[in-house]
């Protein structure tokens, strides 16, 4: 015949089971609470990172746009020969200051490249390029795109991916406002991705 548990033992078992149930419930609740808080914190970090990256990119794009606009107003472009050595030196100087620029050049109103960094595309026509067409009328900042004319003149990407650029361009006008040509620049897309990666590292 089985021995019945004493009242004290029964109470101990009941209270012990109740305590375990309470602990399990509290533990589950705290785990859920911690997960939700962690998720909320991660969302805040992602939002802050995205906002910081967007603000930095906007600032950098405006700076490069302004750089090309100011170049188009330089006296040696407004008054001088667009195929001169002085123009070439000016382009090379800016390329040295901003290594994100893969190419800078000046084209005649018909699209013929008159001067450029490294002599790349010299004498070639860019008349069908979107940046040239748009910049005959206004300062232009383009969307990211793959290289076309420059693809065979630049080193291949280490990753094997196509070379991509963002274009900046502006009209060059004489003192009477007549179009003399277009100055354009191709900035490496990896410059943009590098800025975003830098923000991400700082935020993390």
């Amino acid at each position: 015949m089985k021995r019945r548990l004493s009242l004290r033992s029964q109470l101990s078992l009941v209270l012990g089971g109740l305590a375990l149930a309470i602990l399990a419930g509290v533990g589950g609740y705290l785990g859920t609470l911690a997960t939700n808080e962690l998720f909320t914190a991660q969302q805040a970090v992602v939002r802050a990172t995205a906002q910081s990256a967007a603000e930095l990119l906007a600032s950098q794009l405006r700076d490069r746009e302004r750089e090309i606009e100011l170049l188009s107003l330089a006296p040696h472009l407004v008054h001088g020969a667009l195929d001169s050595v002085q123009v070439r030196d000016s382009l090379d100087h800016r390329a040295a200051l901003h290594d994100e620029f893969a190419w800078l050049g000046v084209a005649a109103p018909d699209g013929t490249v008159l001067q450029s960094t490294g002599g790349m595309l010299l004498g070639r026509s860019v008349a069908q390029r979107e940046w040239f067409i748009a910049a005959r009328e206004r300062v232009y900042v383009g969307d990211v795109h793959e290289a076309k004319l420059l693809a065979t003149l630049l080193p291949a990407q280490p990753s094997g991916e196509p070379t991509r650029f963002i274009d900046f361009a502006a009209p060059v006008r004489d003192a009477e406002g007549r179009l003399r040509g277009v100055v354009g620049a191709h900035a490496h897309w990896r410059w943009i991705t590098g800025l975003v990666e830098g923000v991400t590292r700082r935020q993390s």
Side-chain angles (χ1 to χ4, degrees):
M1 185 175 178
K2 293 184 179 179
R3 183 179 178 182
R4 294 183 61 185
L5 294 174
S6 66
L7 180 60
R8 177 179 294 179
S9 298
Q10 292 180 39
L11 287 174
S12 297
L13 288 174
V14 171
L15 293 175
L18 182 59
L20 288 175
I22 292 173
L23 287 174
V26 171
Y29 170 74
L30 291 177
T32 302
L33 184 63
T35 300
N36 290 339
E37 289 182 351
L38 179 60
F39 179 71
T40 301
Q42 288 175 331
Q43 280 186 317
V45 170
V46 170
R47 282 195 299 269
T49 300
Q51 182 176 355
S52 296
E55 291 173 353
L56 178 61
L57 289 180
S59 173
Q60 292 293 320
L61 289 172
R62 282 195 300 269
D63 287 348
R64 299 305 172 272
E65 178 185 11
R66 185 62 175 161
E67 176 82 15
I68 298 305
E69 184 179 9
L70 290 175
L71 177 59
S72 73
L73 300 174
H76 59 280
L77 290 180
V78 173
H79 303 293
L82 296 182
D83 59 353
S84 67
V85 175
Q86 185 181 11
V87 171
R88 170 72 174 272
D89 290 344
S90 175
L91 298 176
D92 286 340
H93 176 69
R94 279 169 172 77
L97 289 176
H98 302 285
D99 59 3
E100 64 271 15
F101 286 141
W103 180 88
L104 292 103
V106 177
D110 67 355
T112 303
V113 177
L114 300 176
Q115 199 56 274
S116 66
T117 52
M120 291 185 291
L121 303 182
L122 201 61
R124 301 280 295 275
S125 175
V126 293
Q128 301 304 313
R129 303 278 75 83
E130 183 178 352
W131 63 266
F132 174 81
I133 295 171
R136 287 171 55 90
E137 304 295 333
R138 57 182 173 81
V139 178
Y140 172 81
V141 179
D143 294 325
V144 61
H145 65 90
E146 292 185 15
K148 292 182 179 179
L149 294 177
L150 284 177
T152 59
L153 303 177
L154 295 172
Q157 296 277 28
S159 62
E161 295 181 357
T163 303
R164 294 181 174 87
F165 297 117
I166 292 178
D167 297 330
F168 301 85
V172 178
R173 301 188 185 279
D174 62 18
E176 285 72 40
R178 293 185 295 257
L179 183 69
R180 300 196 72 218
V182 168
V183 58
H186 297 328
H188 285 290
W189 175 243
R190 65 170 181 262
W191 163 59
I192 296 293
T193 59
L195 291 174
V196 174
E197 289 171 359
V199 171
T200 302
R201 284 195 298 270
R202 288 194 297 273
Q203 289 289 351
S204 62

